[in-house]
Amino acid sequence: MRRFLVRVATLAAAASTLAIPVAPAATAAAPGLSFRPLHYNTNGYNWGGYAATGSGFTSVSATWTEARATCNSTNNLYAPWVGIDGYGSSTVEQTGVATDCSSGSPVHQAWYEMYPANPVYLSLSSYPVSAGDVINASVTYAGSSKYTLKLTDSTRGWTFTTTKSLSAQRTSAEVIIESPTGSYPNFGTLSFSSATVNGKSLSSFGPVALDPSANGTYEARTGALGSGGTSFTETFLHA
């Protein structure tokens, strides 16, 4: 049984710990796996990052530099993403970049998902991603049960945008890293910046901070919110 530790976030540090369940993920090499709401998790409690909770969430956005991952095994798989819902609800509207080690080397692939629909992976030739690329991801509620998902690789100069319909509660918004296999590649330190929810700093919502762990061993550590409450780091600790 895998677990993760949840911490209530403040600008300076995280406080109070308790164990509660969260969700898994997916990549192109493992199309049967999906990023799913926390209570559907079967592979372990693998979220790291921050989740704002409440009601009426309309947007979430963040920027990161794609980490230079080292594969420890072909089971290594993880992704940074942003999304609405999933933390205590049965849908997730999300987009990000997955890093898959099933070939023995890290492969980066952009994707989006409107769970419970299957994830959609973007063409590697049309939307290439490499370590060191600067990525911006956003999910925006467009009204009438429609969501606009946008992913930009400013290093390579492409932007992908799609609008999809889904009946959802909009009760959370997240900036997350996640492993569906519970096995992270060594990604070193990944830094999120410009993290906003509903056009405000992520910290203004008093988000829950999440640290993924397995059998009492931390897999990654979520840093405190800084830079006006819009930035934080994820540091690899254990595969």
Side-chain angles (χ1 to χ4, degrees):
M1 175 70 70
R2 296 176 49 76
R3 311 186 335 172
F4 72 91
L5 296 182
V6 178
R7 294 174 293 128
V8 177
T10 68
L11 263 175
S16 74
T17 65
L18 67 150
I20 77 169
V22 176
T27 70
L33 297 174
S34 296
F35 295 84
R36 304 167 73 187
L38 63 90
H39 54 282
Y40 284 92
N41 181 29
T42 60
N43 296 296
Y45 305 140
N46 305 320
W47 281 15
Y50 286 90
T53 61
S55 62
F57 289 104
T58 57
S59 68
V60 59
S61 178
T63 297
W64 67 87
T65 298
E66 194 67 13
R68 298 185 182 278
T70 299
C71 297
N72 300 300
S73 81
T74 56
N75 196 43
N76 291 166
L77 175 65
Y78 96 111
W81 56 264
V82 304
I84 295 175
D85 287 314
Y87 192 90
S89 60
S90 60
T91 67
V92 191
E93 307 87 55
Q94 59 193 153
T95 188
V97 177
T99 298
D100 170 35
C101 287
S102 62
S103 67
S105 299
V107 175
H108 308 273
Q109 188 161 18
W111 59 270
Y112 71 88
E113 183 174 0
M114 300 291 287
Y115 187 87
N118 291 328
V120 176
Y121 297 94
L122 306 188
S123 165
L124 290 171
S125 58
S126 298
Y127 302 99
V129 181
S130 295
D133 288 4
V134 176
I135 306 295
N136 177 265
S138 65
V139 177
T140 304
Y141 180 61
S144 302
S145 299
K146 294 181 179 179
Y147 294 82
T148 298
L149 302 100
K150 183 178 180 180
L151 200 62
T152 296
D153 185 326
S154 58
T155 302
R156 293 180 177 267
W158 61 255
T159 294
F160 174 84
T161 305
T162 187
T163 298
K164 299 293 181 180
S165 296
L166 183 67
S167 178
Q169 297 180 14
R170 295 188 288 121
T171 54
S172 66
E174 299 89 19
V175 180
I176 293 293
I177 63 167
E178 182 179 4
S179 169
T181 58
S183 180
Y184 283 86
N186 185 344
F187 60 84
T189 298
L190 186 148
S191 298
F192 286 102
S193 63
S194 303
T196 62
V197 174
N198 290 3
K200 301 177 182 179
S201 68
L202 176 59
S203 67
S204 65
F205 291 86
V208 176
L210 311 172
D211 288 325
S213 67
N215 301 319
T217 300
Y218 285 107
E219 295 167 301
R221 169 66 70 176
T222 299
L225 286 163
S227 296
T230 64
S231 68
F232 65 95
T233 58
E234 291 290 342
T235 303
F236 172 83
L237 297 177
H238 191 274

